[in-house]
Amino acid sequence: MKEKELSSEEFFAEKYRESNIAEFFRRNMHMLGYSGPVRSMTTIIHEFVTNGLDACEEVGVMPKIIVEVRQLGDRDYVIGVEDNGLGIPESYIPRLLGTMLAGTKFHRYIQSRGQQGIGAVGAIMYSHITTGVPIKIITSTGKGKITTAVMDIDIKKNKPHIFEMTSVKGKWQGTKIVARFKDIVYQKGEQGVYEYIRRTATANPHATITLLEPDGNVVKFKNSVNKLPSRPKEMLPHPRGVSADDVRLFALASEQRKLSTFLEKSFSRISAQKVKEIAKRAKYVDFSMDPKELTHQQAEAIVRAFKDVRFIAPSTNGLVPIGEETIEKSLKEILKPDFYSVVTRSPAIYRGGIPFQIEVGLAYEGQAGRSKGKDTSSEVMRFANRVPLVFDAGGCAITQAINSIEWRRYHIGDFDNAPITVTVNIISSHIPYTSAGKQAISGEDEIMNELRFALMDAGRKLKSHLSGVRRDKLRDERRAIFEKYIPEVAESLSKLSGSATKKEIIKHLEKFVKSRARAKEDKDDKID
Amino acid sequence: MTKSIENKLTGLGKDLVRQIKDGKNPNVEIPIRSLSNIKFDKKDNLLTLGDQVSKRYFFNVAHAKKFLQTTLVASFCKELVKQGIHASIREAYYSLKRSIGNTHENTFDEQSESDPVIVDLEVTLDILREQLHLNADRSGVAAGNVIILDRGDTINWGKLGSGGWSVPSNVEDIAFKKVKAKFILVVEKNATFDRLNEDKFWKKHNCVLIGTHGQAARGTKRLIHNLYEKTKLPVYVFTDADAYGYYIYSVIKSGSINLAHASQEFATPSARFIGLTMRDIDHYGLQKYTIRATDSDIKRAKEMMKYPWFQNKEWQHELGLMVKKKIKAEQEALASRHLKFVSETYLPEKIRKKDFLP
């Protein structure tokens, strides 16, 4: 992998950008996943874990992530997340985490886990706002020195404030970030951290994730594949796939000085000619303005104009599915199902040009499904670009597609109470969410269709599996019946015919049973 | 005779062993005994079996147990025939009932499983149960000026007092030495037989009196058939006025669905129905002594109206009336006039007027 050859210094020098959007975060916290104590907790874990996975994958390291949640008091926690990635060079530490928009993937647009906005830095912002306690970063590039930095950020100046930076000798590579948060709650259940980690592990079977829960419980999800997924190719965003917020965010991060140039450089399929067409439709926007000055209303006008202009469809190069084989291994490792089936559909297109791809896994029996005491019920794991979606299940196209399937056809009589886990991953560089919360997929016709096809494909595979097993069982039962009767029949026939001994007849009959166990259904069987 | 029966059984065994040695799924071809495979021969007035057959395979889960039971019954019968002993079908059931191997499963759980297998064997080999040395339960009684020879004993049916001669299940070896009668009267109920016997009806009217006690047993049907074949006397049947009674008549006359393969041996096509009929109820003023027909009576009557052997205008009319009026009447209803009404008035009058149903 190309990235492997880069040194840490080169890597960060190339990717690092600065910008000033601290205020943007403050105003939009609720949209970025910081609404309510349970959701805020899951969002923090999400941002740190995603960051850690990316840090490893970008440099070709098999991710080993350790998540630790400790409770200090009521709604008062310390969260630590450690990765085994490249580590951060000492000189970059203040800038990297102290300044908004400093993420290494923010100015790019790929099929990323993120799409949630401003990533780990947002979580740090949240720590600052709720506790005011500095965060601690422990990092090493693996060259024998481990650096610990205690730091804070000045929101108004958008500048880091380092309290302390110390180094010790030691052989380790990676980064650990420790921060304190209030107004969050650790909760078991479908929207809690445990479930989030379990699902992340399911969709990222190349990663080993360890979770230390507040009660001292340790859960380890070991990797089930030994190969890193190929990195999605970088792609500029397509104008049809962005919201006004996105445009503003990109504008803030842009180095361009003119709005028109920003549009050309930051989006795919926008040429100077297209900018003119956009300008014609957004008459009240000055296209020579500084993109950083773009207001929300202006961004909205531009997005409206995007909808009216014809663009060439985005390229499908950016899509990287998990793959059927990998999903299979993952299901086997985590759910240990008796039966399973997986389907990765070919890429398709929605809204006239945005590529996406659907992957479905069905796991049946074993540890699949959700158990409540003696009862089991079905379980649905939704993913967007491998990221678990744990909120807003009701409004999500994935849930609706699953509910629209006649599961009885696939030998699953009572779906709601079946020991089944359904995993659905939607892959796209432009996932269409229903709202800024980015937890529910909108039910575009093409996406609904693909979801249904994928689920039905997987259902059919599962059905043939299940009926195969039933057939084998039936055959064994039949064999047992014949074998039980053979001695009696042989004895009667020996007496009746006087032409063969009981032993002889038994021998022939048993031979018949054996040969037929191999052969398929005997034609004679159908008569009568 | 015995030899050829034994040969037939052995032949079945040899055929199956040959199929097994040839690596085939062993099967027995059994003519189907259901209404769909019953033909009614209008000319002879007999039910006969069609040519539909079913194959009973050993290596078929649905057939395996029955196949096993068939071989068990066949080898059991071969032993009976070989040793010259007879068994009742209940004895056969007990002789063959046992657990299979070390399991809790029985070869037969009820007699109702072994009885049909016996009939299967009869139709398959085209021999009678009696020839397999199996005897059905018996019921039936006879009286009259008849002298028979039964296994060396000479018996006079006229000198057996109030009980009459009890018809055995197997009448194959009964020889009629002397029959002095003008007709044969078959009655459904024991009570009616007792009434007529006490009133010396058979003596006064010079007939043979046979009671079937409900549906006639094989031995009784065979006795009526043999007696008719020997004497060619008219046969009159007297039952209750209900679907069940009418069916008893039709079985004596034309044979039954279950025994269609042997109608030639068991049926008496010249038999006539004497009563009770729906018309008798009106004619003899029995309206007050009828019973309300149940739903199942009506259903049975409607079914019978569809049977090919009830396709004549007299029986369609009779059954139609029953369905319409929803009533039935017992033979004993005639006692509402006076006890001897049946023997002194009803039967003589019907016979004199030849007031029969075909």
Side-chain angles (χ1 to χ4, degrees):
Chain A
M1 216 174 269
K2 206 176 152 203
E3 279 93 338
K4 259 185 187 165
E5 291 151 21
L6 294 173
S7 76
S8 308
E9 265 81 3
E10 286 162 343
F11 182 77
F12 280 95
E14 188 195 312
K15 306 281 180 177
Y16 188 76
R17 298 286 186 278
E18 277 187 37
S19 188
N20 180 15
I21 56 161
E23 286 305 306
F24 183 88
F25 171 77
R26 272 204 105 129
R27 282 199 304 272
N28 295 294
M29 262 168 50
H30 61 285
M31 288 194 331
L32 297 168
Y34 300 93
S35 60
V38 177
R39 183 150 182 188
S40 297
M41 169 70 94
T42 304
T43 302
I44 291 161
I45 299 291
H46 160 74
E47 299 294 6
F48 285 165
V49 168
T50 299
N51 232 36
L53 288 171
D54 283 342
C56 298
E57 287 168 22
E58 291 211 358
V59 294
V61 174
M62 296 294 291
K64 287 194 176 67
I65 310 289
I66 300 165
V67 178
E68 185 181 0
V69 181
R70 272 189 296 132
Q71 184 162 13
L72 301 180
D74 182 36
R75 296 192 170 195
D76 188 358
Y77 293 83
V78 169
I79 293 173
V81 176
E82 178 184 327
D83 67 55
N84 60 331
L86 214 48
I88 304 167
E90 221 168 69
S91 59
Y92 278 95
I93 293 172
R95 288 202 291 165
L96 182 76
L97 289 162
T99 309
M100 277 301 168
L101 259 185
T104 52
K105 63 175 186 290
F106 196 71
H107 60 289
R108 299 177 301 160
Y109 210 83
I110 58 172
Q111 170 202 319
S112 68
R113 290 202 179 80
Q115 273 205 28
Q116 314 288 83
I118 47 188
V121 189
I124 295 164
M125 281 292 310
Y126 190 75
S127 163
H128 178 87
I129 291 167
T130 55
T131 67
V133 175
I135 60 157
K136 196 197 277 181
I137 291 179
I138 305 152
T139 185
S140 172
T141 54
K143 288 171 186 159
K145 196 169 80 171
I146 301 171
T147 305
T148 302
V150 178
M151 58 195 286
D152 199 355
I153 43 174
D154 183 330
I155 289 182
K156 284 202 181 99
K157 289 184 185 155
N158 207 32
K159 284 268 162 67
H161 182 237
I162 307 279
F163 290 91
E164 207 186 312
M165 179 127 67
T166 53
S167 292
V168 291
K169 280 188 180 172
K171 192 76 186 154
W172 173 66
Q173 184 168 7
T175 301
K176 181 174 183 180
I177 183 161
V178 183
R180 184 170 172 186
F181 300 88
K182 284 193 179 173
D183 276 348
I184 58 173
V185 169
Y186 191 95
Q187 185 181 287
K188 292 255 177 189
E190 207 165 332
Q191 301 178 330
V193 172
Y194 173 85
E195 196 53 39
Y196 176 85
I197 296 285
R198 175 171 166 262
R199 292 182 184 194
T200 302
T202 306
N204 297 275
H206 58 286
T208 298
I209 308 179
T210 309
L211 170 65
L212 290 83
E213 300 189 271
D215 60 6
N217 193 26
V218 179
V219 197
K220 186 170 182 179
F221 297 97
K222 237 187 97 31
N223 65 316
S224 51
V225 294
N226 285 313
K227 211 178 129 231
L228 279 172
S230 49
R231 296 293 298 164
K233 290 194 184 69
E234 289 189 25
M235 248 189 336
L236 290 174
H238 190 275
R240 283 284 173 82
V242 292
S243 66
D245 279 332
D246 293 332
V247 171
R248 256 188 99 209
L249 219 48
F250 301 147
L252 284 169
S254 173
E255 292 168 332
Q256 302 301 327
R257 300 189 186 276
K258 269 174 72 183
L259 182 60
S260 56
T261 332
F262 155 72
L263 291 175
E264 270 183 66
K265 298 282 181 200
S266 304
F267 293 89
S268 69
R269 313 304 196 202
I270 295 189
S271 57
Q273 177 59 36
K274 291 289 169 195
V275 173
K276 277 183 199 159
E277 285 184 43
I278 295 162
K280 243 187 257 169
R281 287 170 170 83
K283 289 205 175 89
Y284 304 103
V285 180
D286 173 10
F287 279 76
S288 61
M289 72 187 281
D290 181 348
K292 291 190 175 57
E293 307 289 317
L294 193 70
T295 66
H296 190 77
Q297 282 89 339
Q298 287 167 331
E300 276 184 342
I302 289 170
V303 169
R304 270 199 303 277
F306 282 168
K307 303 261 185 287
D308 291 337
V309 176
R310 289 172 68 96
F311 297 101
I312 301 169
S315 137
T316 58
N317 289 344
L319 301 184
V320 179
I322 305 175
E324 294 185 352
E325 205 182 315
T326 308
I327 301 176
E328 252 177 56
K329 284 185 180 150
S330 169
L331 294 181
K332 278 196 243 174
E333 170 70 24
I334 291 174
L335 299 167
K336 300 180 175 59
D338 292 353
F339 315 109
Y340 57 86
S341 73
V342 283
V343 166
T344 295
R345 297 276 300 173
S346 306
I349 275 172
Y350 77 95
R351 269 188 218 157
I354 303 170
F356 71 100
Q357 203 170 355
I358 303 290
E359 295 185 284
V360 164
L362 298 181
Y364 193 71
E365 291 181 338
Q367 290 172 21
R370 187 161 274 288
S371 39
K372 297 175 201 140
K374 275 183 191 168
D375 299 329
T376 51
S377 60
S378 56
E379 175 185 43
V380 174
M381 295 190 187
R382 298 175 293 131
F383 300 95
N385 292 334
R386 296 180 184 230
V387 173
L389 306 177
V390 293
F391 298 95
D392 300 344
C396 183
I398 293 174
T399 314
Q400 286 154 10
I402 289 171
N403 290 342
S404 78
I405 301 293
E406 263 193 67
W407 291 100
R408 209 175 307 113
R409 280 195 194 169
Y410 308 111
H411 289 181
I412 295 163
D414 180 4
F415 177 81
D416 289 344
N417 298 311
I420 190 170
T421 295
V422 182
T423 68
V424 179
N425 185 29
I426 172 167
I427 303 144
S428 179
S429 54
H430 311 75
I431 305 254
Y433 292 104
T434 54
S435 65
K438 298 192 171 172
Q439 286 290 322
I441 311 293
S442 104
E444 309 283 335
D445 284 351
E446 298 89 340
I447 291 179
M448 272 309 260
N449 283 340
E450 277 296 310
L451 282 169
R452 282 176 48 79
F453 290 151
L455 288 163
M456 290 189 284
D457 271 4
R460 273 191 291 275
K461 282 195 201 172
L462 187 69
K463 175 189 170 183
S464 65
H465 214 109
L466 290 178
S467 52
V469 168
R470 277 172 208 181
R471 205 167 47 231
D472 289 351
K473 208 173 139 203
L474 206 68
R475 188 177 297 156
D476 288 350
E477 280 169 11
R478 293 156 54 121
R479 222 179 129 156
I481 289 171
F482 300 143
E483 277 167 354
K484 180 172 59 186
Y485 294 163
I486 281 176
E488 289 279 355
V489 167
E491 186 170 346
S492 298
L493 286 182
S494 173
K495 277 193 210 156
L496 186 63
S497 67
S499 63
T501 62
K502 179 179 173 183
K503 230 176 163 178
E504 241 180 303
I505 298 172
I506 288 178
K507 195 185 81 197
H508 280 101
L509 289 174
E510 280 181 345
K511 206 170 106 194
F512 188 92
V513 170
K514 273 184 199 117
S515 71
R516 191 141 92 158
R518 280 193 302 273
K520 280 231 162 189
E521 298 279 304
D522 196 298
K523 224 171 54 192
D524 288 345
D525 239 354
K526 304 274 192 231
I527 299 174
D528 198 13
Chain B
M1 174 79 172
T2 300
K3 196 73 196 163
S4 89
I5 299 297
E6 195 186 324
N7 285 346
K8 276 190 173 182
L9 287 163
T10 309
L12 175 68
K14 281 187 169 155
D15 179 42
L16 288 171
V17 168
R18 189 183 43 72
Q19 292 179 32
I20 289 167
K21 283 185 174 170
D22 288 349
K24 288 186 184 144
N25 186 349
N27 67 83
V28 186
E29 250 182 46
I30 300 169
I32 292 173
R33 287 175 289 117
S34 70
L35 189 56
S36 66
N37 193 34
I38 298 293
K39 304 255 181 319
F40 178 59
D41 183 336
K42 274 189 182 160
K43 205 173 108 255
D44 293 339
N45 241 320
L46 280 179
L47 300 190
T48 57
L49 210 54
D51 44 21
Q52 294 174 32
V53 293
S54 67
K55 288 190 172 191
R56 180 170 297 166
Y57 289 93
F58 178 45
F59 293 112
N60 176 321
V61 175
H63 300 176
K65 179 83 177 270
K66 275 210 157 180
F67 183 93
L68 161 66
Q69 293 173 334
T70 310
T71 63
L72 284 169
V73 170
S75 83
F76 175 76
C77 289
K78 187 184 168 184
E79 282 304 299
L80 289 181
V81 175
K82 221 162 126 184
Q83 297 182 20
I85 49 174
H86 293 75
S88 73
I89 53 176
R90 187 141 188 88
E91 284 173 326
Y93 158 65
Y94 277 118
S95 305
L96 293 171
K97 178 176 179 163
R98 59 173 171 265
S99 55
I100 299 171
N102 297 321
T103 68
H104 293 295
E105 190 180 338
N106 288 326
T107 50
F108 296 93
D109 282 322
E110 313 242 348
Q111 195 189 332
S112 61
E113 288 177 37
S114 59
D115 286 357
V117 172
I118 291 167
V119 188
D120 289 343
L121 208 57
E122 289 183 66
V123 292
T124 301
L125 299 176
D126 193 23
I127 47 184
L128 294 180
R129 174 181 309 179
E130 290 74 7
Q131 295 171 310
L132 290 169
H133 286 214
L134 288 172
N135 299 328
D137 293 339
R138 59 149 105 181
S139 69
V141 41
N145 273 318
V146 178
I147 293 169
I148 59 161
L149 200 61
D150 179 5
R151 293 193 188 167
D153 297 332
T154 304
I155 297 158
N156 185 343
W157 289 4
K159 304 211 166 190
L160 292 168
S162 57
W165 183 68
S166 179
V167 182
S169 59
N170 187 338
V171 298
E172 297 311 306
D173 302 325
I174 306 259
F176 296 101
K177 302 293 280 181
K178 189 187 120 193
V179 181
K180 188 168 163 270
K182 284 196 279 187
F183 62 92
I184 300 159
L185 180 66
V186 180
V187 300
E188 173 189 346
K189 287 191 162 158
N190 278 355
T192 310
F193 178 91
D194 290 344
R195 160 67 37 228
L196 296 175
N197 198 19
E198 185 177 296
D199 296 350
K200 300 287 175 218
F201 181 86
W202 57 268
K203 230 178 223 167
K204 282 181 197 156
H205 296 277
N206 196 17
C207 71
V208 179
L209 185 61
I210 297 174
T212 61
H213 187 28
Q215 188 61 267
R218 283 173 70 112
T220 311
K221 280 185 275 193
R222 185 85 169 125
L223 182 79
I224 298 165
H225 171 90
N226 288 349
L227 192 55
Y228 169 77
E229 289 299 326
K230 171 90 182 170
T231 62
K232 300 291 178 192
L233 290 170
V235 176
Y236 307 133
V237 181
F238 179 30
T239 72
D240 286 343
D242 61 15
Y244 186 70
Y246 294 175
Y247 198 69
I248 289 173
Y249 162 67
S250 84
V251 167
I252 291 168
K253 181 184 174 74
S254 303
S256 66
I257 295 172
N258 239 329
L259 265 178
H261 60 286
S263 294
Q264 295 278 4
E265 281 79 23
F266 286 95
T268 310
S270 65
R272 291 289 176 273
F273 187 71
I274 200 166
L276 277 176
T277 63
M278 286 290 125
R279 213 172 64 83
D280 290 340
I281 291 170
D282 291 335
H283 193 256
Y284 294 99
L286 306 176
Q287 293 94 333
K288 279 191 188 165
Y289 307 98
T290 59
I291 303 169
R292 196 150 185 84
T294 63
D295 288 347
S296 65
D297 288 330
I298 300 299
K299 192 170 155 254
R300 181 78 183 120
K302 283 180 176 167
E303 258 170 36
M304 284 162 56
M305 285 174 83
K306 290 187 195 132
Y307 288 162
W309 54 102
F310 281 96
Q311 298 306 321
N312 52 56
K313 69 174 192 298
E314 293 89 345
W315 278 110
Q316 288 293 315
H317 178 72
E318 182 70 16
L319 288 164
L321 269 180
M322 183 174 286
V323 170
K324 197 175 133 205
K325 292 187 168 178
K326 291 190 167 53
I327 53 164
K328 57 184 184 180
E330 293 187 281
Q331 296 177 317
E332 293 91 326
L334 292 163
S336 64
R337 302 289 294 270
H338 59 88
L339 281 180
K340 294 188 176 181
F341 183 76
V342 61
S343 59
E344 290 179 351
T345 313
Y346 176 77
L347 287 171
E349 200 173 298
K350 293 279 285 190
I351 292 165
R352 196 178 60 244
K353 291 183 179 167
K354 294 201 187 316
D355 183 9
F356 306 129
L357 286 178

